[in-house]
PDB file of all heavy atoms in Angstrom:
ATOM      1  N   GLY A  62    -125.616  57.983  -7.434  1.00 96.00           N
ATOM      2  CA  GLY A  62    -126.073  57.516  -8.733  1.00 96.00           C
ATOM      3  C   GLY A  62    -127.526  57.082  -8.655  1.00 96.00           C
ATOM      4  O   GLY A  62    -128.217  57.317  -7.658  1.00 96.00           O
ATOM      5  N   LEU A  63    -127.987  56.449  -9.705  1.00 96.00           N
ATOM      6  CA  LEU A  63    -129.366  55.981  -9.784  1.00 96.00           C
ATOM      7  C   LEU A  63    -129.394  54.485 -10.059  1.00 96.00           C
ATOM      8  O   LEU A  63    -128.510  53.957 -10.727  1.00 96.00           O
ATOM      9  CB  LEU A  63    -130.110  56.693 -10.925  1.00 96.00           C
ATOM     10  CG  LEU A  63    -130.332  58.181 -10.784  1.00 96.00           C
ATOM     11  CD1 LEU A  63    -130.915  58.743 -12.075  1.00 96.00           C
ATOM     12  CD2 LEU A  63    -131.261  58.479  -9.627  1.00 96.00           C
ATOM     13  N   VAL A  64    -130.406  53.832  -9.546  1.00 95.00           N
ATOM     14  CA  VAL A  64    -130.676  52.443  -9.890  1.00 95.00           C
ATOM     15  C   VAL A  64    -132.125  52.359 -10.348  1.00 95.00           C
ATOM     16  O   VAL A  64    -132.972  53.138  -9.912  1.00 95.00           O
ATOM     17  CB  VAL A  64    -130.438  51.465  -8.709  1.00 95.00           C
ATOM     18  CG1 VAL A  64    -128.987  51.415  -8.325  1.00 95.00           C
ATOM     19  CG2 VAL A  64    -131.303  51.807  -7.520  1.00 95.00           C
ATOM     20  N   MET A  65    -132.386  51.435 -11.237  1.00 95.00           N
ATOM     21  CA  MET A  65    -133.746  51.220 -11.718  1.00 95.00           C
ATOM     22  C   MET A  65    -134.435  50.231 -10.803  1.00 95.00           C
ATOM     23  O   MET A  65    -133.904  49.154 -10.516  1.00 95.00           O
ATOM     24  CB  MET A  65    -133.719  50.682 -13.149  1.00 95.00           C
ATOM     25  CG  MET A  65    -135.095  50.428 -13.745  1.00 95.00           C
ATOM     26  SD  MET A  65    -136.145  51.887 -13.867  1.00 95.00           S
ATOM     27  CE  MET A  65    -135.257  52.845 -15.068  1.00 95.00           C
ATOM     28  N   LEU A  66    -135.608  50.590 -10.337  1.00 93.00           N
ATOM     29  CA  LEU A  66    -136.406  49.696  -9.512  1.00 93.00           C
ATOM     30  C   LEU A  66    -137.343  48.922 -10.422  1.00 93.00           C
ATOM     31  O   LEU A  66    -137.968  49.489 -11.315  1.00 93.00           O
ATOM     32  CB  LEU A  66    -137.222  50.490  -8.489  1.00 93.00           C
ATOM     33  CG  LEU A  66    -136.417  51.364  -7.538  1.00 93.00           C
ATOM     34  CD1 LEU A  66    -137.352  52.158  -6.651  1.00 93.00           C
ATOM     35  CD2 LEU A  66    -135.479  50.530  -6.703  1.00 93.00           C
ATOM     36  N   ARG A  67    -137.409  47.616 -10.200  1.00 93.00           N
ATOM     37  CA  ARG A  67    -138.249  46.766 -11.036  1.00 93.00           C
ATOM     38  C   ARG A  67    -139.303  46.094 -10.176  1.00 93.00           C
ATOM     39  O   ARG A  67    -139.112  45.886  -8.986  1.00 93.00           O
ATOM     40  CB  ARG A  67    -137.390  45.725 -11.736  1.00 93.00           C
ATOM     41  CG  ARG A  67    -136.323  46.403 -12.586  1.00 93.00           C
ATOM     42  CD  ARG A  67    -135.800  45.637 -13.709  1.00 93.00           C
ATOM     43  NE  ARG A  67    -136.767  44.792 -14.349  1.00 93.00           N
ATOM     44  CZ  ARG A  67    -136.935  44.729 -15.665  1.00 93.00           C
ATOM     45  NH1 ARG A  67    -136.239  45.493 -16.441  1.00 93.00           N
ATOM     46  NH2 ARG A  67    -137.794  43.891 -16.194  1.00 93.00           N
ATOM     47  N   GLY A  68    -140.405  45.789 -10.791  1.00 91.00           N
ATOM     48  CA  GLY A  68    -141.480  45.107 -10.096  1.00 91.00           C
ATOM     49  C   GLY A  68    -142.100  44.057 -10.995  1.00 91.00           C
ATOM     50  O   GLY A  68    -141.744  43.946 -12.168  1.00 91.00           O
ATOM     51  N   ARG A  69    -143.016  43.300 -10.439  1.00 90.00           N
ATOM     52  CA  ARG A  69    -143.734  42.289 -11.213  1.00 90.00           C
ATOM     53  C   ARG A  69    -145.220  42.421 -10.908  1.00 90.00           C
ATOM     54  O   ARG A  69    -145.607  42.544  -9.746  1.00 90.00           O
ATOM     55  CB  ARG A  69    -143.263  40.887 -10.859  1.00 90.00           C
ATOM     56  CG  ARG A  69    -141.844  40.610 -11.289  1.00 90.00           C
ATOM     57  CD  ARG A  69    -141.505  39.130 -11.102  1.00 90.00           C
ATOM     58  NE  ARG A  69    -140.184  38.852 -11.612  1.00 90.00           N
ATOM     59  CZ  ARG A  69    -139.924  38.565 -12.882  1.00 90.00           C
ATOM     60  NH1 ARG A  69    -140.890  38.528 -13.758  1.00 90.00           N
ATOM     61  NH2 ARG A  69    -138.694  38.319 -13.267  1.00 90.00           N
ATOM     62  N   THR A  70    -146.020  42.375 -11.927  1.00 87.00           N
ATOM     63  CA  THR A  70    -147.461  42.448 -11.757  1.00 87.00           C
ATOM     64  C   THR A  70    -147.923  41.238 -10.962  1.00 87.00           C
ATOM     65  O   THR A  70    -147.620  40.098 -11.333  1.00 87.00           O
ATOM     66  CB  THR A  70    -148.164  42.473 -13.129  1.00 87.00           C
ATOM     67  OG1 THR A  70    -147.617  43.528 -13.896  1.00 87.00           O
ATOM     68  CG2 THR A  70    -149.650  42.659 -12.973  1.00 87.00           C
ATOM     69  N   GLY A  71    -148.615  41.472  -9.880  1.00 85.00           N
ATOM     70  CA  GLY A  71    -149.103  40.373  -9.055  1.00 85.00           C
ATOM     71  C   GLY A  71    -148.016  39.610  -8.344  1.00 85.00           C
ATOM     72  O   GLY A  71    -148.257  38.546  -7.804  1.00 85.00           O
ATOM     73  N   GLY A  72    -146.785  40.126  -8.356  1.00 82.00           N
ATOM     74  CA  GLY A  72    -145.685  39.467  -7.671  1.00 82.00           C
ATOM     75  C   GLY A  72    -144.992  38.391  -8.487  1.00 82.00           C
ATOM     76  O   GLY A  72    -143.878  38.007  -8.203  1.00 82.00           O
TER      77      GLY A  72
END
Side-chain angles (χ1 to χ4, degrees):
L63 294 173
V64 294
M65 180 61 66
L66 302 176
R67 301 205 35 133
R69 292 189 175 274
T70 306

